[in-house]
Structure formats: structure tokens, C-alpha cells
Amino acid sequence: MRIEKRQGYEGTGPGAITPDGCAVELYTRLPVGTEPDIITAAVPAAAHVLELGSGVGRMTHPLLELGFTVTAVDESAEMLEHVRGARTVRSAIEDLDLGETFDVVLLASFLIHAGDVRVRRALLDTCVRHVADDGCVLFQREGEDWHTDVPRERTDPSGFAVRIVSAEPVGDGVDSVHAEYVFPDATWTQTFLSRPLTKDAFEEALGEAGLKVDRYLTDDGVWVRAVKG
């Protein structure tokens, strides 16, 4: 299975780089935040979770420890090599059709902001195709000022810096975002395409796919629980 590099996506730094510009070694270093707690509070205990874009298992492993069953999907074989304890499926999310449904479908990492509208629709179709009728889809959105509050920098307590250097318009409502991850011993960069979505635009996109917002899980509106309807 060969997946071509995605146009408009680049990455630099040590180790393997995925088709969307993500550095595998970088993601093995990034700590998990509060995401598993947010997910746990929003879904039934011991639910079967379909994690779309699992990467190296940064959220997969904590979810397993919390008692969930996880099917981890990623297009990068190098990413999936790091996942332990979960069923893994190598596939582009847009093409996924497992012929089964899940209690929870998880689309994190701001993937809903795909620059190409056709890709976003395909991602949403995959979510709808795989969520049980009484299940839910959890989305992670960008913050409201994510594209305007640039440049910005955050220093993680563990000692590395995350910099969003720029978000430059490239046409059709899409920005090219450039990020840097600076560790004491290595630096990685990623450039990717992102389409800002207002709350109304986000909810409209969900509606077109047959989903509706059940509730916003965080005060900033970044995490969302959606259901069929």
C-alpha cells in the first residue's frame, strides 16, 4: 500500500515523515494532555472506539488503560508500528470502510479542518459510515483565534517549545500553517493546509453529512460530541 504525499503538506526533521508532513519521532515525544479525560466524560464506559488518525498511539494507549477497546487507523505504517494493545488498520481515513460500526468514532487532531472540502466531506462520510445508530462522533476543532493569533509560542513543562509561526492565506478560504517543534536535541517543522470553520460553518458541514451537535464538551468549543440526526 503506497500513499502519496499530500499536496501542500511538508515536514522536516529527523526520522520518517508521513504523507501529511507529520514526523513520527516527534509524535513519540509529545505528551498526552487532557484529551482522554474529555473523551471518558463524554462516552459510555468500556466503549469500542474507532480512532481515526491515531498516529503513534498518543491517545490510544491512555484510552486502553481507561478500559476502552480501540481500533486505531492511520495511513502511516511507521506511525502504527508504535501502537500497542489495539487493533490497527492502515488506511487513509477517506477510504476506510470496515463494514462494522462502533460506539464512538474519534476524529481528533483538527482533521475536520482539512483544506480540501472534498476531503472534509469524505472524512465525515467515514465517521457516519462507522458510528452506531446510538453512538457518537467526537471532534476536535481549532480554537476561534487559532489562525489570527500568530505568531505564538507555548513552552511545554517537559522542556520543548511549540511555535505556530504563520498562517498564510492560499485562496478559497484556506491557510497554509507553518509550525515548529523545538526540543533541546532536535527541531521538527510541519506545513499543512487548514480551513478555518466558524461554529456555524462547522455545524452546517456536520448537517450535510447527517450529523448534529449533541453538545460542546469544553468551554472553548474545541471538543464536540455529535450524533446522527
Side-chain angles (χ1 to χ4, degrees):
M1 176 183 178
R2 178 177 174 80
I3 298 176
E4 299 294 333
K5 188 179 80 169
R6 295 176 183 266
Q7 187 174 0
Y9 294 73
E10 301 282 349
T12 67
I17 305 293
T18 67
D20 61 354
C22 294
V24 176
E25 183 181 340
L26 167 64
Y27 277 84
T28 66
R29 298 187 182 202
L30 294 180
V32 66
T34 60
E35 293 97 334
D37 295 330
I38 295 169
I39 294 166
T40 300
V43 303
H48 193 169
V49 178
L50 177 64
E51 184 184 4
L52 302 175
S54 66
V56 299
R58 187 177 64 89
M59 281 197 284
T60 314
H61 298 138
L63 290 175
L64 291 169
E65 292 173 2
L66 289 165
F68 296 100
T69 302
V70 182
T71 295
V73 177
D74 204 277
E75 65 183 11
S76 167
E78 292 90 348
M79 288 283 196
L80 289 176
E81 285 176 0
H82 294 272
V83 176
R84 298 288 182 267
R87 170 193 178 193
T88 59
V89 177
R90 186 187 177 203
S91 173
I93 298 170
E94 307 96 292
D95 302 329
L96 185 71
D97 190 351
L98 296 176
E100 58 188 289
T101 59
F102 298 79
D103 304 316
V104 181
V105 177
L106 177 61
L107 190 71
S109 302
F110 313 122
L111 293 175
I112 190 65
H113 292 271
D116 189 329
V117 172
R118 294 168 299 179
V119 171
R120 184 185 71 206
R121 288 172 179 160
L123 296 177
L124 288 169
D125 287 345
T126 295
C127 292
V128 172
R129 187 160 54 242
H130 290 92
V131 68
D133 288 342
D134 59 350
C136 65
V137 184
L138 302 186
F139 294 97
Q140 184 184 24
R141 302 170 59 227
E142 295 172 347
E144 293 299 323
D145 61 349
W146 205 83
H147 288 249
T148 55
D149 179 22
V150 288
R152 65 181 182 273
E153 178 174 329
R154 175 181 65 84
T155 300
D156 189 83
S158 62
F160 69 92
V162 181
R163 299 170 182 160
I164 304 300
V165 179
S166 59
E168 299 293 337
V170 293
D172 190 33
V174 178
D175 289 344
S176 176
V177 180
H178 182 71
E180 297 178 351
Y181 301 82
V182 182
F183 287 74
D185 62 337
T187 296
W188 286 272
T189 73
Q190 185 183 13
T191 301
F192 56 93
L193 300 180
S194 178
R195 179 181 296 275
L197 291 173
T198 64
K199 191 174 182 179
D200 287 345
F202 167 72
E203 294 185 1
E204 181 180 352
L206 264 57
E208 291 173 354
L211 294 169
K212 63 181 180 181
V213 171
D214 178 55
R215 66 182 185 270
Y216 287 86
L217 303 175
T218 53
D219 291 340
D220 58 9
V222 168
W223 279 91
V224 188
R225 186 182 193 271
V227 296
K228 287 183 175 179

